[in-house]
Amino acid sequence: MESPAEALVTALRDANASVATAESLTGGRLASRLTEVPGSSVVYAGGVVSYQTHIKVEVLGVPQDVIDTHGVVSAQCAEAMADGARRLLGTAYALSTTGVAGPDRQEDKPVGTVFVGLAGPGGTEVVALDLEGDRSQIQAATVDAAVSALADELAAARSRAGQPAEDSGLG
């Protein structure tokens, strides 16, 4: 049986689409999950681990006013990170992760507050998560959510194109 990451790589390959990542709280774990899949180099372009705020601004192009107004732990930052990765790496899709993995609150937001950004041809959306667990569990759940978000988007795009979603292997 295919893992969710394997199914996602297959769906991206079938759609002739590519993906990039912009990670903060997951620290490269999303890129690792995708690149564990044999053949993922066909669809995974690369990523930016933007753990420090200035990397979000200087490399990914997150507007400073987004940081000043909403903070790095925000839907607006996740959206800008995903948009920046997609633009920077020239991919069809990009995923971003930002939030609080713990052990302490950040920007007065509790541990487990997470935002996953998904940029694609149809625009950018953000999934807000309220996760529980230790640092490692929050990071793993965030990676799972990011993989699922893109898998769901690809299945929906396939459905809109008149192709059965169940054929995507994302079932």
Side-chain angles (χ1 to χ4, degrees):
M1 168 150 276
E2 274 189 322
S3 72
E6 289 169 330
L8 176 58
V9 167
T10 298
L12 284 162
R13 191 172 39 243
D14 290 349
N16 196 29
S18 56
V19 66
T21 55
E23 300 182 68
S24 188
L25 89 147
T26 51
R29 286 166 182 77
L30 178 55
S32 179
R33 177 84 56 89
L34 294 173
T35 59
E36 287 172 357
V37 178
S40 59
S41 62
V42 172
V43 298
Y44 181 68
V48 174
V49 177
S50 56
Y51 219 59
Q52 294 184 350
T53 301
H54 75 96
I55 301 300
K56 291 173 182 66
V57 174
E58 295 167 19
V59 176
L60 292 172
V62 174
Q64 186 64 50
D65 68 312
V66 166
I67 304 296
D68 295 342
T69 304
H70 304 286
V72 295
V73 182
S74 67
Q76 294 83 353
C77 185
E79 180 179 350
M81 288 171 64
D83 288 340
R86 184 171 182 247
R87 182 185 62 255
L88 185 64
L89 293 159
T91 55
Y93 295 95
L95 291 165
S96 69
T97 62
T98 189
V100 187
D104 301 316
R105 295 172 73 91
Q106 182 178 345
E107 297 177 345
D108 203 34
K109 296 190 176 87
V111 172
T113 302
V114 173
F115 298 93
V116 173
L118 168 58
T124 306
E125 61 185 56
V126 176
V127 178
L129 304 170
D130 182 15
L131 302 173
E132 293 185 9
D134 64 23
R135 186 174 180 78
S136 180
Q137 291 167 322
I138 290 168
Q139 290 168 327
T142 301
V143 170
D144 291 343
V147 168
S148 292
L150 183 51
D152 291 348
E153 173 57 28
L154 288 167
R158 190 173 172 97
S159 180
R160 288 190 299 270
Q163 300 168 327
E166 62 270 7
D167 289 348
S168 70
L170 302 174

